Amino acid sequence: MIKFILKRLMYIVAALFVIVTLTFFLMRIAPGSPFASEKSLPPEIEAALQEEYGLDNPWYIQYKDYLVSTAQFDFGESMKYKGRSTNDMIAESFPISLTLGIEAMILAVGLGVLVGVVTALYHNKFPDYLGTTIAVLGISVPSFILAGLLQYFVGLKWQLLPISGWNGFIYSIMPAFAIAVTHMGFIAKLVRSSMLEQNSSEYVKMARAKGLGKWTTVFKHTLRNALLPVVTYLGPLFAGVITGSFIVEQIFAIPGLGKYFVTSITNRDYTVIMGTTVFYSIILLFAVLIVDIIYGFIDPRINLKGGKK
Amino acid sequence: MKKNFLWVAILAALTLVLGACGFGGGDEKSEDSKSEGKTLNLSIASEPPSLHPQLATDTQSGSILNGVFEGLTRVDDKGNVENAMAEDVKVSDDKLTYTFTLRDDAKWSNGDQVTAGDFEYAWKWALEPKNAAQYSYIFYAIKGAEAYNMGKGKAEDVGVKATDDKTLEVTLNNPTPYFLELTAFYSYMPINKKVAEKNDKWYADAGEDYVTNGPYALKEWKHNDSVTLAKSDNYWDKGNVDVDTINVAMVESAATADRLFQNGDLDFLGAPFQTVSLDKIDTYKKDKSLQITDTASVYLYKFNTKDDVMKNENIRKALTLAIDRQGLIDNVTKGEQKPANGIVPMAINGWDSQQTFFKDNDMKGAKEALAQGMKELGIKNASDIDIKLSINTDEAHAAIAQYVQEGWHKNLGINVTIDNSEWQVYLDKVDNGDFQVARMGWTADYNDATSFLDLYTTADTGNNQTGWESKEYQALMAKAQKETDVEKRLALLQEAEAVFMADYPAAPIYDYTSLFVVKDGITGMEPDVLGNINLKGVKIAK
Amino acid sequence: MTQSNENLPKISKDKFTIVGGKHDKTDQLAEKSVSFWKEVRLRFMHNKLAIVGFFILIIVALMAIFVPWLSPYSYREQLGVYNAPPSAAHWFGTDDLGRDIFVRVWFGARISLFIGLSAAVIDLIIGVAWGSIAGLAGGRVDDIMMRIADVLTAVPYLLVVIILLVVLQPGLLPMIIALSITGWVNMARIVRGEVLSIKSREYVLAARTLGANTTHIIMKHLVPNALGAILVTMTLTIPSAIFTESFLSYLGLGVPQPMASWGTMASDGNNALDTAPWRLIFPAILISVTIFAFNAVGDGLRDALDPKLRK
């Protein structure tokens, strides 16, 4: 177990190194600078700016500086937003993204399992077709289209929920739903197929034969086993929910981290790009690790010694 | 069976409850926006990069700075210059020395007196090389400013001097008829020396160190979310400030902002804070709510005169004439923009009388010029010409480029490809001359033709980009710079523009307009020709 | 059935559930003699959703091929009628520049499908090569290759894609590169798994003893046997590529104008939801329907190929 975790931590460090290096060199190659604007700067001013942020150093010095700052988790001051430290920016905006993400995850898992169970129980009957259609729609509608439609109809036309902003729980319903829908569809599909598989297994037949009700069987027997694949999906789900929020945050004007990440790239705000990328990567890498560990606890068939898969 | 459905219901309820718990870390913003007094709800497209008057470079920050700070002068919504922090301005006969006297009741929001020293401090701060203020060039009209900013001169030699707490003396290089407009610009606004010296990050957040001298104080700044301004008690002219609170939400998506406006969550939508999206212009025109004002900005296609094909003047002329500007405006941009004829917009002082250099949509002239140009270049067929039209990624630029592309292709028979790049990449390409035709917009910093004409004095002026230069043009510009008579100066500048246009280094497309919609009962929101809204003068009828 | 039981004590109906006929039980006996692929096909045909998906894909592909070719308009021609609603002349209406949306949508289908297919093919090539080499070589080589894959999976995909697209410039080729840059890892894993299980079988051993070289073994033995798994992975890669393409288009990183892809069209149309909804609706429906179809076919294939689900 400990060996497994150590091994995985090593991968995380290696992956982080790859990410930092990749990001650094991509940013080096990318034309542009954080100080560029339509009105070009006198060369002297530009030089002063470059010097202030150490951009006049040769690339290997800058690369070393980046590695050091990454290791210390101190990414320095934003080059675009004057006087603001990257760490502060992340600390302010991440809780918002996280809240939205968790809400979306709960929605996705809750609704996904519900739809999955119902469709499996009424296999090839009306609820199955309805549920499957919902799941398929969820998977196949891009979130930005859904977000736009929700905002227009639910927010503006029917006046049910606020159009945008982030001032309380009610503001988070539409964005969370827009993020959750795709994942809800996937989870519903997963649950449905693994429930069907379980339903044809001997122990379920036995339980039903003993006279247990349909739903009792579900809760007492099938669901627990059918949920295993959902647990494996939690890692990618978390990653998807957190990164999938870029667009939704933009559409609903939510001051989360996703917006910073995208704008920092278009602004060439090097320090913020590096900070947000490393931060996101760490979160995602650990999310996957934690899910794998949990999975090991739930499913005794998996051993975590890290043997050949 | 029924009982089992109960279980599902409980499960569903649990989901919702958990949902509520997961939200825990949210905001607890009280409903204070509904507090007593008059409230104005605005939105801007992005987080202001900096609310430091000397560091700001963009309209988002500029519009807020205009509300919270105040310079020596102020430009009202008619474009007239009036005294603001200065009670009196004296100009010497040679128009080179300005003496400003500050008003007695000019106070900072923390109660300190606004002194001439605060101005001197702010301006020199902007020029100090290590602060690397990007807009420092706007001070170059002042004697010694450029040298100090370039690291070649000393701070003491800059022509700004606070002779006492009330008096600021400014010496200029050349007679600058628009200098009193410059002093209204946000780069020229003062900062509180005492506070700024104590805390060099005073401008990063709202709070007791964010000290301002304008009609409003910065009450709250939730990064990436909203800025709240509140009427300032220490402002000298607070009797003329009607609005108590201004909420500025940051809404990036134009579609979202539009929905907020329709829903009544915003009182104003449009330039300079945000754009009325192309798709909504017709809707607002139909219900007659769309308002349009002229702006001193020009949209143009620059030619790279160093390019193998674009070096030919007749080809450039052909491309310039073969744009159906009116058709473009009516069908694509839709904002009643004015077809542009020169590089200086007609809204600029004294430019409404300027001669026309070419006829819009002149296909006959274009074909003749093209034939001539092809002969000079030794090209047989028009279809052998491939032109790359560079734009940066943007819905409106793409629409315009596609319209022009079709026009050139259909009428001249040449091939045009659109080279679409992300903004930063695009700037890099244009600066390095890696383009044939490139779009550029240029907005005046001050209401004077030199704001446009200065770009083309030499080929390597940073913003020229066309590679074009002319001795004649340089001579005219130099002469205009020394001219003290306003009319004569104007004539010289107009002549310079004619010299430029004769060579077609750029194809002017249209003069921008500011489009906006505003809720009934709110007045004073019309942007001036520079596209700024004077938040001080906004009135809300109750 | 029920009428004849009148004299029996009443038993509440809901003690019973109809579980459906077991017709497949009888089919199974006959199936024993058919070949694997025929069996797969039969099972696939039984899956209604998969069949529907399959026909949708055929229709979309045919339309994508023929509509831009046969239509009187071209995808970039500006017809002077701006934002016109659907009509007899323009079935799906026109857009803000007066271009026929019907043509653009099907032209966009070419681009979007091309992006999806290319991404899938690149995944296939790299993934199969990587996976089979790792699987066949085994030992240290396998270990190193799979660790590299592990690290790559850990790299957050979207972050890399966005940064990469900004650097490479939006365009068709960069889009395909960006989409397939980490996608192949999954394919490599699956192929390696298959290879490991097939490698130890007797017939491969026999081929080896007969002196067949590695390429021969990969091409003649491993690939055909791993084909099922590969096919399923590919059908599921395409919709996710189309999905990601539309996502990136929304961020302004889509294919350049006047080229059309479903993603760029939908994100353009997104702003016109309340003024010219047809600009959003048609590309959005096509994206959704196509993604649905690929998923249905992919799921159907997987079920048909998976022996565990044989009933």
Side-chain angles (χ1 to χ4, degrees):
Chain A
M1 180 73 188
I2 288 170
K3 208 175 141 202
F4 166 80
I5 293 175
L6 282 178
K7 195 167 177 181
R8 289 294 299 267
L9 283 176
M10 260 170 58
Y11 287 164
I12 288 180
V13 173
L16 267 180
F17 178 75
V18 171
I19 294 163
V20 171
T21 309
L22 201 68
T23 319
F24 176 80
F25 286 103
L26 283 174
M27 279 350 288
R28 285 287 91 197
I29 308 165
S33 103
F35 320 116
S37 80
E38 205 146 12
K39 314 208 161 171
S40 71
L41 290 174
E44 287 81 359
I45 302 295
E46 192 157 354
L49 281 165
Q50 300 269 2
E51 197 189 325
E52 187 182 342
Y53 292 100
L55 295 175
D56 55 341
N57 292 327
W59 67 266
Y60 48 88
I61 305 267
Q62 291 188 44
Y63 180 54
K64 185 208 80 191
D65 289 347
Y66 272 124
L67 287 182
V68 170
S69 67
T70 306
Q72 295 168 337
F73 297 109
D74 177 16
F75 299 99
E77 197 177 291
S78 161
M79 298 185 188
K80 181 80 180 181
Y81 300 102
K82 298 283 159 59
R84 305 253 292 127
S85 92
T86 306
N87 290 19
D88 283 355
M89 286 162 80
I90 295 175
E92 268 171 30
S93 56
F94 180 66
I96 295 171
S97 290
L98 184 68
T99 310
L100 187 63
I102 289 176
E103 203 184 323
M105 266 180 83
I106 291 170
L107 263 177
V109 174
L111 288 177
V113 170
L114 189 70
V115 172
V117 169
V118 169
T119 49
L121 283 187
Y122 295 93
H123 187 43
N124 285 337
K125 285 186 218 137
F126 176 71
D128 184 15
Y129 297 132
L130 182 75
T132 312
T133 315
I134 293 175
V136 163
L137 271 180
I139 293 169
S140 51
V141 179
S143 63
F144 70 92
I145 295 178
L146 182 75
L149 288 171
L150 279 176
Q151 193 180 53
Y152 183 67
F153 287 105
V154 181
L156 182 63
K157 287 287 142 183
W158 305 331
Q159 300 273 321
L160 294 176
L161 291 167
I163 290 173
S164 75
W166 188 254
N167 295 318
F169 175 65
I170 196 159
Y171 286 82
S172 68
I173 298 173
M174 278 201 287
F177 188 72
I179 298 173
V181 155
T182 316
H183 306 287
M184 186 209 80
F186 269 114
I187 292 175
K189 258 174 69 176
L190 271 179
V191 172
R192 177 175 177 270
S193 65
S194 74
M195 284 271 297
L196 286 179
E197 208 174 307
Q198 302 288 333
N199 274 350
S200 56
S201 65
E202 303 304 322
Y203 75 95
V204 174
K205 284 182 187 157
M206 177 67 181
R208 294 302 303 281
K210 283 197 305 192
L212 276 184
K214 199 181 224 175
W215 287 92
T216 326
T217 326
V218 168
F219 287 116
K220 290 226 165 116
H221 301 280
T222 16
L223 194 56
R224 190 180 302 171
N225 290 312
L227 281 183
L228 276 176
V230 176
V231 177
T232 7
Y233 185 65
L234 283 180
L237 168 67
F238 188 76
V241 156
I242 295 283
T243 45
S245 60
F246 295 154
I247 282 179
V248 172
E249 281 178 14
Q250 193 231 46
I251 292 179
F252 289 102
I254 294 168
L257 189 55
K259 241 166 87 175
Y260 270 129
F261 175 69
V262 176
T263 46
S264 72
I265 294 178
T266 45
N267 286 338
R268 299 290 188 278
D269 195 343
Y270 298 132
T271 42
V272 181
I273 296 174
M274 206 42 92
T276 44
T277 313
V278 169
F279 183 77
Y280 264 129
S281 308
I282 291 177
I283 296 281
L284 299 182
L285 293 170
F286 275 94
V288 175
L289 173 64
I290 290 167
V291 168
D292 282 359
I293 293 173
I294 294 175
Y295 197 69
F297 279 117
I298 300 179
D299 189 346
R301 285 174 300 178
I302 305 282
N303 80 42
L304 291 182
K305 295 222 177 71
K308 291 261 193 293
K309 280 170 204 162
Chain B
M1 271 301 239
K2 294 259 158 58
K3 221 171 88 192
N4 293 326
F5 269 109
L6 197 72
W7 276 105
V8 182
I10 291 171
L11 184 78
L14 198 73
T15 313
L16 286 176
V17 170
L18 278 172
C21 294
F23 182 77
D27 281 8
E28 54 286 322
K29 184 191 176 188
S30 54
E31 294 290 302
D32 63 352
S33 53
K34 288 200 184 85
S35 60
E36 82 289 4
K38 295 177 177 178
T39 307
L40 183 67
N41 293 304
L42 306 174
S43 83
I44 55 177
S46 68
E47 159 95 353
S50 173
L51 288 183
H52 186 302
Q54 279 72 40
L55 288 178
T57 54
D58 62 311
T59 39
Q60 312 289 346
S61 312
S63 27
I64 294 170
L65 286 171
N66 265 325
V68 294
F69 284 95
E70 184 164 73
L72 292 163
T73 53
R74 185 175 268 284
V75 179
D76 71 6
D77 48 357
K78 308 272 177 313
N80 302 317
V81 177
E82 55 189 36
N83 288 340
M85 281 289 116
E87 195 171 35
D88 181 53
V89 187
K90 283 200 177 58
V91 187
S92 66
D93 290 339
D94 60 1
K95 311 250 165 99
L96 291 178
T97 309
Y98 284 69
T99 311
F100 298 91
T101 312
L102 301 196
R103 51 179 84 246
D104 296 331
D105 49 359
K107 287 257 166 42
W108 288 101
S109 53
N110 64 356
D112 291 353
Q113 187 76 27
V114 178
T115 66
D118 290 333
F119 282 93
E120 187 186 339
Y121 174 75
W123 296 9
K124 286 189 174 164
W125 194 93
L127 289 168
E128 194 174 326
K130 83 167 172 50
N131 291 328
Q134 299 188 32
Y135 252 31
S136 55
Y137 67 83
I138 206 150
F139 290 95
Y140 289 179
I142 299 169
K143 207 173 145 195
E146 187 166 2
Y148 174 45
N149 193 222
M150 296 293 163
K152 290 168 198 140
K154 284 193 289 252
E156 300 87 73
D157 299 334
V158 179
V160 185
K161 212 172 173 131
T163 46
D164 59 52
D165 270 1
K166 290 254 149 344
T167 320
L168 188 72
E169 212 178 83
V170 184
T171 323
L172 306 181
N173 287 320
N174 292 305
T176 310
Y178 50 87
F179 186 68
L180 289 180
E181 266 184 56
L182 283 184
T183 53
F185 190 69
Y186 54 79
S187 298
Y188 279 83
M189 287 167 176
I191 48 183
N192 189 317
K193 187 176 171 185
K194 259 191 277 174
V195 176
E197 279 180 339
K198 225 169 26 204
N199 175 7
D200 62 352
K201 293 267 181 289
W202 63 272
Y203 54 91
D205 275 297
E208 61 175 302
D209 280 347
Y210 197 94
V211 181
T212 61
N213 69 329
Y216 303 95
L218 185 70
K219 189 173 151 204
E220 193 180 23
W221 183 3
K222 287 206 277 183
H223 292 288
N224 237 1
D225 183 42
S226 63
V227 168
T228 310
L229 312 184
K231 186 173 170 175
S232 168
D233 278 337
N234 286 325
Y235 183 58
W236 63 274
D237 195 18
K238 66 177 173 195
N240 282 322
V241 180
D242 187 48
V243 180
D244 298 291
T245 311
I246 303 180
N247 298 315
V248 187
M250 296 163 202
V251 183
E252 194 183 342
S253 154
T256 303
D258 182 74
R259 285 165 194 157
L260 286 169
F261 178 77
Q262 286 185 53
N263 202 34
D265 296 338
L266 292 180
D267 296 326
F268 176 91
L269 177 73
F273 298 115
Q274 202 139 26
T275 46
V276 176
S277 70
L278 283 179
D279 289 308
K280 296 298 300 206
I281 292 177
D282 282 336
T283 315
Y284 290 123
K285 262 188 189 161
K286 220 174 277 163
D287 64 16
K288 303 223 167 11
S289 58
L290 186 72
Q291 299 191 49
I292 297 173
T293 57
D294 289 342
T295 310
S297 323
V298 67
Y299 190 93
L300 33 82
Y301 278 171
K302 287 186 174 177
F303 299 116
N304 183 358
T305 58
K306 300 274 182 267
D307 178 80
D308 286 343
V309 179
M310 290 302 137
K311 69 179 184 219
N312 185 287
E313 197 181 300
N314 278 307
I315 301 276
R316 299 201 296 263
K317 183 178 176 188
L319 295 176
T320 307
L321 300 191
I323 297 173
D324 177 10
R325 293 171 180 74
Q326 198 60 54
L328 174 78
I329 291 163
D330 291 343
N331 297 313
V332 179
T333 62
K334 294 187 242 178
E336 293 178 22
Q337 289 87 353
K338 307 274 176 301
N341 207 266
I343 45 170
V344 180
M346 278 159 286
I348 284 286
N349 274 342
W351 232 258
D352 38 8
S353 62
Q354 176 68 323
Q355 65 181 105
T356 51
F357 300 112
F358 59 87
K359 209 173 100 209
D360 181 28
N361 196 18
D362 178 6
M363 290 307 164
K364 196 167 152 275
K367 279 175 191 156
E368 280 165 23
L370 182 72
Q372 179 70 26
M374 276 163 44
K375 209 160 83 191
E376 284 160 16
L377 289 176
I379 299 171
K380 293 245 161 47
N381 294 314
S383 60
D384 291 342
I385 302 181
D386 285 293
I387 288 175
K388 204 163 75 175
L389 170 55
S390 302
I391 57 166
N392 59 298
T393 313
D394 177 272
E395 197 200 348
H397 299 325
I400 293 166
Q402 290 173 76
Y403 187 87
V404 172
Q405 178 192 32
E406 271 299 291
W408 284 349
H409 178 67
K410 215 161 63 190
N411 296 308
L412 299 181
I414 58 175
N415 299 312
V416 184
T417 41
I418 295 177
D419 171 35
N420 188 339
S421 326
E422 186 243 0
W423 177 232
Q424 293 271 347
V425 179
Y426 176 74
L427 283 177
D428 196 66
K429 275 189 184 171
V430 175
D431 285 343
N432 292 323
D434 176 18
F435 71 101
Q436 287 185 297
V437 186
R439 75 136 282 265
M440 262 303 158
W442 193 260
T443 304
D445 290 323
Y446 42 89
N447 190 352
D448 190 85
T450 51
S451 194
F452 295 87
L453 295 172
D454 278 348
L455 309 184
Y456 307 101
T457 41
T458 65
D460 41 53
T461 307
N463 290 307
N464 182 331
Q465 291 147 343
T466 63
W468 175 89
E469 64 182 349
S470 140
K471 289 258 151 49
E472 200 186 349
Y473 186 86
Q474 285 162 2
L476 286 166
M477 291 300 288
K479 224 164 130 196
Q481 207 170 45
K482 300 285 172 213
E483 183 58 61
T484 48
D485 183 273
V486 175
E487 290 302 318
K488 278 188 201 148
R489 179 173 173 273
L490 202 62
L492 286 167
L493 293 175
Q494 294 195 338
E495 213 177 310
E497 191 193 19
V499 169
F500 181 88
M501 282 315 297
D503 283 353
Y504 294 100
I509 312 268
Y510 61 76
D511 289 1
Y512 281 87
T513 47
S514 294
L515 306 182
F516 60 97
V517 278
V518 63
K519 220 186 229 175
D520 288 341
I522 297 172
T523 52
M525 290 294 289
E526 295 82 15
D528 62 20
V529 287
L530 299 181
N532 298 315
I533 290 178
N534 188 359
L535 286 174
K536 179 188 171 187
V538 177
K539 302 255 185 300
I540 301 178
K542 272 253 156 142
Chain C
M1 267 220 323
T2 46
Q3 280 119 332
S4 61
N5 292 334
E6 266 164 45
N7 50 351
L8 287 174
K10 281 234 154 116
I11 297 171
S12 153
K13 252 194 201 162
D14 46 301
K15 298 241 164 166
F16 295 94
T17 349
I18 298 167
V19 286
K22 294 274 184 193
H23 307 296
D24 44 353
K25 271 259 152 50
T26 48
D27 293 348
Q28 210 177 33
L29 286 171
E31 271 171 14
K32 285 231 163 120
S33 59
V34 291
S35 78
F36 174 69
W37 285 107
K38 202 162 186 182
E39 200 182 325
V40 167
R41 204 178 67 216
L42 279 173
R43 248 176 304 171
F44 185 79
M45 304 275 267
H46 268 289
N47 188 332
K48 273 182 236 146
L49 215 58
I51 291 294
V52 171
F54 183 70
F55 279 105
I56 290 176
L57 288 185
I58 298 226
I59 293 169
V60 169
L62 288 177
M63 295 292 267
I65 293 169
F66 289 108
V67 171
W69 187 37
L70 295 176
S71 164
Y73 315 115
S74 97
Y75 72 96
R76 50 175 283 181
E77 189 183 359
Q78 296 167 17
L79 304 159
V81 246
Y82 302 92
N83 283 326
S87 65
H90 305 290
W91 294 354
F92 287 180
T94 62
D95 69 4
D96 53 336
L97 283 168
R99 296 173 299 200
D100 185 84
I101 292 179
F102 187 70
V103 176
R104 279 179 74 72
V105 154
W106 294 113
F107 182 82
R110 288 183 179 180
I111 303 288
S112 290
L113 291 178
F114 179 70
I115 289 173
L117 285 171
S118 312
V121 168
I122 294 177
D123 280 8
L124 176 80
I125 295 168
I126 305 179
V128 168
W130 194 276
S132 43
I133 291 171
L136 278 179
R140 192 136 206 100
V141 179
D142 179 31
D143 222 34
I144 292 171
M145 286 177 87
M146 288 334 278
R147 290 307 77 83
I148 293 174
D150 279 346
V151 169
L152 273 178
T153 353
V155 174
Y157 169 65
L158 263 182
L159 306 192
V160 179
V161 169
I162 291 172
I163 296 178
L164 202 70
L165 264 189
V166 168
V167 176
L168 290 179
Q169 295 287 301
L172 204 54
L173 189 66
M175 177 67 85
I176 293 167
I177 294 176
L179 289 179
S180 43
I181 193 136
T182 55
W184 60 268
V185 175
N186 199 22
M187 181 67 89
R189 281 240 171 77
I190 287 163
V191 172
R192 175 178 168 271
E194 292 286 324
V195 168
L196 284 182
S197 79
I198 296 165
K199 187 162 92 162
S200 50
R201 305 245 172 98
E202 275 75 13
Y203 64 89
V204 176
L205 201 69
R208 233 183 236 284
T209 16
L210 287 174
N213 64 11
T214 314
T215 331
H216 178 85
I217 295 175
I218 293 179
M219 294 317 291
K220 290 280 150 158
H221 298 289
L222 298 182
V223 170
N225 280 293
L227 200 61
I230 292 172
L231 214 58
V232 172
T233 317
M234 268 186 79
T235 29
L236 296 175
T237 309
I238 298 171
S240 79
I242 293 175
F243 204 84
T244 313
E245 190 269 336
S246 72
F247 179 91
L248 292 168
S249 297
Y250 187 82
L251 291 176
L253 299 169
V255 295
Q257 299 274 21
M259 213 188 263
S261 75
W262 288 340
T264 49
M265 290 184 73
S267 63
D268 275 355
N270 214 24
N271 293 325
L273 180 58
D274 45 343
T275 51
W278 51 91
R279 279 171 50 199
L280 171 66
I281 289 168
F282 295 110
I285 288 177
L286 275 171
I287 293 178
S288 307
V289 166
T290 310
I291 291 176
F292 155 75
F294 271 112
N295 274 308
V297 171
D299 289 351
L301 268 179
R302 184 173 46 205
D303 292 352
L305 284 163
D306 192 346
K308 264 195 298 180
L309 287 175
R310 274 190 231 179
K311 287 189 180 146

